[in-house]
Amino acid sequence: MSRTTATVAASLPDHWEELVTAALLGTDRRIPPGAAPGPQAPSDLLDGAAAATVRRRAGLRPARPAERLRPAPEDPRPPLPHAAARRLAALLADRPGASGGGRRGAAPDLMELLPQWLQAANSRGYAAPPQALPALLDAARGRTDLRPAALRFAGPRALWLARLNPDWRFALRAAPGGGPSAPDLRDPQGIRRLWQEGLFAERVTLLTALRSRDAAAARVLLEETWATERAEDRLMFLDSLRAGLGPDDETFLERALADRSRNVRATAAELLSALPASALAARMGVRAAACVAVDRTRDVPAIVVEAPHECDAAMERDGVTATAPAGRGERSWWLGQLVEAAPLGTWPGRLGGRTPEEIVALPVADGWQGELHAAWCRAAVRQRDAAWSRALLGEPSAPEAGGPGAVSLAERARLLATLDAGERAAWVAGFIETHGLSEAFQLLGVCAVPWAPPLGRAVVDALNIARDAGSYPWSFSGVMGLAERCLDPSEASRLDALLAIPDEPEDAAPGAASYWSEAFQRLVTTLRLRGAMLAELAPEEPAP
């Protein structure tokens, strides 16, 4: 701008703020500068704003050009079939209704099908369509449960986009390699540099990713800086060792038992007790075995318990917490911790060569059965011991709806998780056949998807029985939602007979019959939609 032009520009009045005020209030309430009242005032306002805008821009100096963006990385995976790409767009376009309650109607909930669609697409190794990435990232932003599968499917281009949009920065934290300085896991120097210089979140992500690929290398990296880490950081880093935990970790974990942080010591002891062959597990086994024995002098052999009378320093070093929670006796508290951490292989030899089923069936004297069996439940889950889990669960048809050690649905669910998928489904099916669906929701959550045929039939039969009995349909909405996502799609044709509206019993809830029919219609429609989704993900046949 020349000196003359700058002088002229500086001499002109700047009415920008007054023009903005007039635009906000309206020309009926505020007359723009230089305008007269009347119908011409709005046009004068726009003319004045245009002139002021040109004047303000004319005095600006051009900014330095920004560095040109590098192109997004290539995704080498094969593209989605066309039908599957259209389905993805429909799933991402679906949004939950504004109402938080009320009936859902017979239409499928597409957003609830998105996790399964992503899992299936990832299992087939497809790349996400570039045009779908913004909506996919938006969906993952709103639902944390979607993030692992969504980011895996979105691939490297999602991270490229996330660096440009602050709303998607979660992807940089959630995806391995998402941080701006995260190195290739095949780059030892880059790994070491990030471990030594990175932010805490970057180091946790690095350690977790490295642990899943090379457990020993991750442990060595942690050992190098262990002594200088903060206590809260040591706890988080130690927790990452759960993935790939094995005998090679024992030496490091034994040293962590002497850590100055009580929480770190407790976590190290828990990890060591999950290794039945570890020295800590052996020490705990000796302590626990000294407290539990079989009394053969009775008419019927029974387990007798002599709980510890003190918690000494050696027990505390091995992870036993000395102070009992409110309402718990100290001795039973110490006993439970010893039995929980002892190898389950301790007990057959200690209790007369009996199998887990025979041990669990023995009576326990003096009211110690609940404490002892609950500790065995926790040990079976921690050590992933299917034989003991099976014994503690008992028969699914048992009157108490569980084994002697499984005193809650949550404990039964954790025990079931140690069994293989087929056995797990068969046990839950037997439970439903005997006890119905009212207590089965938590157990169904640990069963593999799609449900095995016996489990699927048991759920549908129980729903049909509940409908015919005139039960309140709303109390089964959670199970119905699970069935929509977990039943095998091939079951859809078998359910057509359930779509008719049955006659309502006299004592049925008003409108229950139509609700049940609507719910079964939605179930059948959803199953057919899931079947179509899987078919669309099959590789396309090449054109002749």
Side-chain angles (χ1 to χ4, degrees), residues 69-75 130 133 154-161 163-164:
L69 283 175
R70 295 182 179 179
E74 293 293 328
D75 193 331
L133 290 176
R157 291 175 174 172
L159 301 183
W160 183 86
L161 284 174
R163 294 188 179 101
L164 303 176

Side-chain angles (χ1 to χ4, degrees), residues 398-455:
E400 64 272 23
V407 296
S408 71
L409 286 170
E411 284 181 321
R412 287 197 285 272
R414 287 192 288 269
L415 289 169
L416 282 168
T418 68
L419 306 180
D420 66 61
E423 187 176 3
R424 198 183 315 158
W427 196 96
V428 177
F431 179 93
I432 292 171
E433 289 168 0
T434 303
H435 306 288
L437 288 169
S438 59
E439 295 186 353
F441 184 81
Q442 198 164 3
L443 305 180
L444 287 168
V446 300
C447 293
V449 177
W451 287 336
L455 177 58

Side-chain angles (χ1 to χ4, degrees), residues 37-240:
Q40 187 62 26
S43 297
D44 292 342
L45 171 63
L46 295 177
D47 291 342
T53 298
V54 172
R55 175 179 177 274
R56 292 163 68 88
R57 289 179 177 174
L60 294 178
R61 293 183 177 181
R64 291 183 178 274
E67 182 180 353
R68 178 175 294 181
L69 283 175
R70 295 182 179 179
E74 293 293 328
D75 193 331
R77 298 174 296 177
L80 273 176
H82 294 297
R86 289 193 297 270
R87 180 73 65 187
L88 173 62
L91 295 176
L92 291 172
D94 188 65
R95 289 292 181 267
S99 173
R103 292 166 67 154
R104 288 175 49 198
D109 187 343
L110 299 186
M111 276 300 290
E112 288 304 314
L113 297 181
L114 183 58
Q116 284 192 16
W117 189 96
L118 290 170
Q119 181 182 13
N122 283 331
S123 69
R124 291 163 172 77
Y126 288 121
Q131 67 273 18
L133 290 176
L136 189 62
L137 286 167
D138 281 339
R141 180 192 178 201
R143 286 182 54 176
T144 56
D145 61 307
L146 281 178
R147 289 182 183 179
L151 294 178
R152 179 183 168 193
F153 177 63
R157 291 175 174 172
L159 301 183
W160 183 86
L161 284 174
R163 294 188 179 101
L164 303 176
N165 186 343
D167 289 344
W168 300 332
R169 290 293 172 85
F170 70 88
L172 303 179
R173 299 187 297 270
S181 58
D184 189 325
L185 291 181
R186 296 165 295 184
D187 176 12
Q189 292 183 346
I191 288 174
R192 191 170 301 279
R193 182 169 57 254
L194 180 58
W195 179 250
Q196 293 173 351
E197 302 174 3
L199 300 174
F200 173 70
E202 293 175 322
R203 299 176 75 209
V204 170
T205 299
L206 171 65
L207 192 65
T208 302
L210 186 59
R211 181 73 178 177
S212 64
R213 177 168 179 163
D214 188 341
R219 186 186 63 252
V220 169
L221 199 66
L222 181 56
E223 286 180 299
E224 291 178 355
T225 60
W226 180 257
T228 61
E229 303 289 357
R230 300 182 305 166
E232 55 268 31
D233 294 354
R234 293 198 304 276
L235 183 61
M236 289 291 293
F237 293 147
L238 195 62
D239 201 59
S240 70

